[in-house]
Amino acid sequence: MVRFSIPIPRFRIRKVKKPAPGAMPGTFSVPVELPKPMIKRFVYDQQTCDSADVNLSDLDQALKPEPGKVVWVDVQGLGDGEVIRRISAILGLHPLTLEDIVHVHQRPKLEEFDDHLFVVMRAMRLQDDQKIENEQLSLVLKPGLLVTFQERPGDGFAPVRRRLKEGKGQLRKNGSDYLFYALIDTAIDNYYPVLELYGDIMDRLDDQVREDPRPEASAAIQSMRRELRQLRRAAWPLRDVASALGRGDFPLIGKPVRPAFRDCHDHVVQVTDFVESNRERASDLAGLYLAMVGEKTNQVMKILTIIATIFIPLTFLCGVYGMNFKTEASPYNMPELSWRFGYPAFWIAVAVIFAGMLFYFRRKGWLGSGPSGRNREN
C-alpha cells in the first residue's frame, strides 16, 4: 500500500477588516495588521539608473516626475494611513481610488482618470515553504511616473529591477508606460510556477487515487479544488484588464506598447485555461475516487459473496448430519450414520463440492482470471 504524502500548497489567507455595511463611499481605514510602508524610488533613462530609499520628509519631491526620465516609486506596506493619504494627495487620487488601494480585497480592475490610469490586480508568489503569497498590487500610471502599492515588503519584481540596473533590453529605452507593462507582465509570469506546481500535484493525485483511493486522497482533492477557486478569482477578471489595456485608446499608453499588453492578455488566457482545465480535472478526480472506492467495495463484496455461496451447501450438509437421528429407531433415520466410512465420505463430499464450486466460479470469470475474464479483457 502506498503511503499518502501529497501536501497541497495553500494560499496565505489573511483576515482583513472590511468597511462596515452602509459606510460612506470613500471611507478610509487602514488595516492594523499591515506593515508600515517602505518606499523605494527608481529614476532612470537610457544612460543612468539611480535608486534610493525615500524618507517621509521627501515625499513631495520623490513623487515629482523628472524631465527626460522615468520615475518609479514603489510603496511596500500599507500600515500607515497618514503616509498613504499624503501620497494620494500628492498624486491627486480620487477618494474611491484611495479606498481601493488600502482595502486589499479588490477584484482586478482598470480605471481611467483625466491624468492617470489605475490598475488593481492580484500578485501570486510561490514561497519556499510551499505557501502561495496572494496579495493586492495597485499601480498608478502618470506621465513619466509610475507608483506601485503593495500590501507588504517582498515581491516578484527582482527581474525588473535587475534589468533596470543592467540596462539590458527595452526597459530603459522606453517610457513609464513600458515599465507599467513590464511590472504587470512580471506579476502575471509569477503565476506560472504556481500553475506548474499544481499541475505536478494533480499528476501525483491521479496516480494516488488509481493506486490507493484512501480518504486522505479525497480530502486532498477537495483542498485542491478550493485553492483552484482562489486562483480563478485572481486570474479570471485580469483577462478584461489586459484586454482593455491592449485594445483601448489610452493617451498614457503609446501605440508601440499596446501589442505588449496584448501579449499579456495571451498569458492571462493561458493561466485561466490552465486553471479551468485543472478544475475540471479535480472534479474528474473526485468522480474517479468515488468510482475506485466503489470498485474496491464491489471486489470485496464479490469475494465475500463467493465465500458465503461456497459455504451454503457445506452448511446444509453439516446441518443435516448434525440432527442426531437414531438408526435403532428406524432404518430410515439416516442410515449413513452406521456406515464404517461415513465420516470420511462426508468430508470427501464437502471437498468435492468446494472444489467444484471454485472451478465453476473461475470458469465464469467471477474469481481470478478464468476464461470468461480473459475474454472480457481481450
Side-chain angles (χ1 to χ4, degrees), residues 44-46 70 72 159-165 167-176 178-183:
Y44 65 89
D45 55 17
Q46 292 191 32
V70 176
W72 172 24
V160 176
R161 297 188 182 94
R162 184 170 58 251
R163 286 158 56 192
L164 282 176
K165 293 178 181 179
K168 296 180 179 180
Q170 300 295 320
L171 193 54
R172 280 172 46 177
K173 299 177 182 179
N174 291 276
S176 58
Y178 193 85
L179 176 63
F180 183 60
Y181 150 73
L183 293 180

Coordinates of all heavy atoms in Angstrom, one line a residue, residues 44-46 70 72 159-165 167-176 178-183:
Y44 N 15.4 56.7 -13.9 CA 16.3 56.1 -15.0 C 16.0 56.8 -16.3 O 14.9 57.3 -16.6 CB 16.2 54.6 -15.1 CG 14.9 54.1 -15.5 CD1 14.6 53.9 -16.9 CD2 13.9 53.8 -14.6 CE1 13.4 53.5 -17.3 CE2 12.6 53.3 -15.0 CZ 12.4 53.2 -16.4 OH 11.2 52.7 -16.8
D45 N 17.0 56.7 -17.2 CA 16.9 57.0 -18.6 C 17.8 56.0 -19.3 O 18.2 55.0 -18.7 CB 17.3 58.4 -18.9 CG 18.6 58.8 -18.4 OD1 19.5 57.9 -18.1 OD2 18.9 60.0 -18.3
Q46 N 18.1 56.2 -20.6 CA 18.9 55.2 -21.3 C 20.3 55.1 -20.8 O 21.0 54.0 -20.9 CB 19.0 55.6 -22.8 CG 17.6 55.5 -23.5 CD 17.8 55.6 -25.0 OE1 18.8 55.2 -25.6 NE2 16.8 56.2 -25.7
V70 N 12.3 58.5 -16.3 CA 11.1 57.8 -15.8 C 11.3 57.6 -14.3 O 12.4 57.2 -13.9 CB 11.0 56.4 -16.5 CG1 9.8 55.6 -15.8 CG2 10.7 56.6 -18.0
W72 N 9.9 55.7 -10.9 CA 9.1 54.6 -10.3 C 9.3 54.6 -8.8 O 10.3 54.5 -8.2 CB 9.6 53.2 -10.8 CG 9.0 52.0 -10.2 CD1 7.8 52.0 -9.5 CD2 9.5 50.7 -10.1 NE1 7.5 50.7 -9.1 CE2 8.6 49.9 -9.3 CE3 10.7 50.1 -10.5 CZ2 8.8 48.6 -9.1 CZ3 10.9 48.8 -10.2 CH2 9.9 48.0 -9.5
P159 N 13.4 40.6 -11.2 CA 13.9 40.7 -12.6 C 13.8 42.0 -13.2 O 14.7 42.4 -14.0 CB 13.0 39.6 -13.3 CG 12.6 38.7 -12.2 CD 12.4 39.6 -11.0
V160 N 12.8 42.8 -12.9 CA 12.6 44.1 -13.5 C 13.7 45.1 -12.9 O 14.3 45.8 -13.6 CB 11.2 44.7 -13.2 CG1 11.1 46.1 -13.7 CG2 10.1 43.8 -13.8
R161 N 13.9 45.0 -11.6 CA 15.0 45.8 -11.0 C 16.3 45.5 -11.6 O 17.2 46.4 -11.8 CB 15.0 45.7 -9.5 CG 13.7 46.1 -8.8 CD 13.8 46.1 -7.3 NE 12.5 46.5 -6.7 CZ 11.6 45.6 -6.3 NH1 11.8 44.3 -6.4 NH2 10.5 46.1 -5.7
R162 N 16.6 44.2 -11.8 CA 17.9 43.8 -12.4 C 18.0 44.3 -13.8 O 19.1 44.8 -14.2 CB 18.0 42.3 -12.3 CG 19.3 41.8 -12.8 CD 19.5 40.3 -12.5 NE 18.5 39.5 -13.2 CZ 17.5 38.9 -12.5 NH1 17.4 39.0 -11.2 NH2 16.6 38.2 -13.1
R163 N 17.0 44.3 -14.6 CA 17.0 44.8 -15.9 C 17.3 46.3 -15.9 O 18.0 46.9 -16.8 CB 15.8 44.4 -16.7 CG 15.7 43.0 -17.1 CD 14.3 42.5 -17.3 NE 13.6 43.3 -18.3 CZ 12.3 43.3 -18.6 NH1 11.5 42.5 -17.8 NH2 11.7 44.0 -19.5
L164 N 16.6 47.0 -15.0 CA 16.9 48.4 -14.9 C 18.3 48.8 -14.6 O 18.9 49.7 -15.2 CB 15.9 49.0 -13.8 CG 14.5 49.2 -14.2 CD1 13.7 49.7 -13.0 CD2 14.3 50.2 -15.3
K165 N 18.9 48.0 -13.6 CA 20.3 48.3 -13.2 C 21.3 48.0 -14.3 O 22.3 48.7 -14.5 CB 20.6 47.6 -11.9 CG 19.8 48.1 -10.7 CD 20.1 47.3 -9.5 CE 19.3 47.8 -8.3 NZ 19.5 47.0 -7.0
G167 N 20.6 47.7 -17.5 CA 20.3 48.4 -18.8 C 20.1 47.5 -20.0 O 20.3 47.9 -21.1
K168 N 19.7 46.3 -19.7 CA 19.5 45.3 -20.8 C 18.1 45.4 -21.3 O 17.1 45.7 -20.6 CB 19.8 43.9 -20.4 CG 21.3 43.7 -20.0 CD 21.6 42.3 -19.6 CE 23.0 42.1 -19.3 NZ 23.3 40.7 -18.9
G169 N 17.9 45.1 -22.6 CA 16.5 45.0 -23.2 C 16.0 46.4 -23.5 O 16.7 47.4 -23.6
Q170 N 14.7 46.5 -23.6 CA 14.0 47.7 -24.0 C 13.5 48.6 -22.8 O 12.9 49.7 -23.0 CB 12.8 47.4 -24.9 CG 13.1 46.6 -26.1 CD 13.9 47.4 -27.1 OE1 13.7 48.6 -27.3 NE2 14.9 46.8 -27.7
L171 N 13.7 48.1 -21.6 CA 13.1 48.8 -20.5 C 13.5 50.2 -20.3 O 12.7 51.1 -20.2 CB 13.4 48.0 -19.2 CG 12.5 48.3 -18.0 CD1 11.0 48.3 -18.3 CD2 12.9 47.4 -16.8
R172 N 14.9 50.5 -20.3 CA 15.4 51.8 -20.1 C 15.3 52.7 -21.4 O 15.6 53.9 -21.3 CB 16.8 51.7 -19.6 CG 16.8 51.5 -18.1 CD 18.2 51.2 -17.5 NE 19.2 52.1 -17.9 CZ 20.4 52.1 -17.5 NH1 20.8 51.2 -16.6 NH2 21.4 52.9 -17.9
K173 N 14.9 52.1 -22.5 CA 14.8 52.8 -23.7 C 13.4 53.3 -24.0 O 13.1 54.1 -24.9 CB 15.2 51.9 -24.9 CG 16.6 51.5 -24.9 CD 16.9 50.5 -26.0 CE 18.3 50.0 -25.9 NZ 18.6 49.1 -27.1
N174 N 12.5 53.0 -23.1 CA 11.1 53.4 -23.2 C 10.6 54.2 -22.0 O 11.3 54.4 -21.0 CB 10.2 52.1 -23.4 CG 10.4 51.5 -24.7 OD1 9.9 51.8 -25.8 ND2 11.3 50.4 -24.7
G175 N 9.3 54.6 -22.1 CA 8.8 55.5 -21.0 C 8.1 54.7 -19.9 O 8.3 53.5 -19.7
S176 N 7.4 55.4 -19.1 CA 6.7 54.8 -17.9 C 5.7 53.8 -18.3 O 5.3 52.9 -17.6 CB 6.1 55.9 -17.1 OG 5.2 56.7 -17.8
Y178 N 5.9 51.6 -20.6 CA 6.6 50.3 -20.8 C 6.9 49.7 -19.5 O 6.8 48.4 -19.3 CB 7.8 50.4 -21.7 CG 8.4 49.1 -22.2 CD1 7.9 48.5 -23.3 CD2 9.4 48.4 -21.5 CE1 8.4 47.3 -23.8 CE2 9.9 47.2 -21.9 CZ 9.3 46.7 -23.1 OH 9.8 45.5 -23.5
L179 N 7.4 50.5 -18.5 CA 7.6 50.0 -17.2 C 6.3 49.5 -16.6 O 6.3 48.4 -15.9 CB 8.2 51.1 -16.3 CG 8.4 50.7 -14.8 CD1 9.4 49.6 -14.6 CD2 8.8 52.0 -14.0
F180 N 5.2 50.2 -16.8 CA 3.9 49.7 -16.4 C 3.5 48.4 -17.0 O 3.1 47.5 -16.2 CB 2.9 50.8 -16.9 CG 1.4 50.6 -16.5 CD1 1.1 50.5 -15.2 CD2 0.5 50.4 -17.5 CE1 -0.3 50.4 -14.8 CE2 -0.9 50.2 -17.1 CZ -1.2 50.2 -15.8
Y181 N 3.8 48.2 -18.2 CA 3.6 46.8 -18.9 C 4.6 45.8 -18.2 O 4.1 44.7 -17.9 CB 3.9 46.9 -20.4 CG 4.4 45.7 -21.0 CD1 3.6 44.5 -21.1 CD2 5.8 45.5 -21.3 CE1 4.1 43.4 -21.7 CE2 6.3 44.4 -21.8 CZ 5.5 43.3 -22.0 OH 6.0 42.1 -22.5
A182 N 5.8 46.1 -18.0 CA 6.8 45.2 -17.5 C 6.4 44.6 -16.2 O 6.6 43.4 -15.9 CB 8.2 45.8 -17.5
L183 N 5.9 45.5 -15.3 CA 5.5 45.1 -13.9 C 4.3 44.2 -14.0 O 4.2 43.1 -13.3 CB 5.3 46.3 -13.0 CG 6.5 47.2 -12.7 CD1 6.1 48.3 -11.8 CD2 7.6 46.3 -12.0

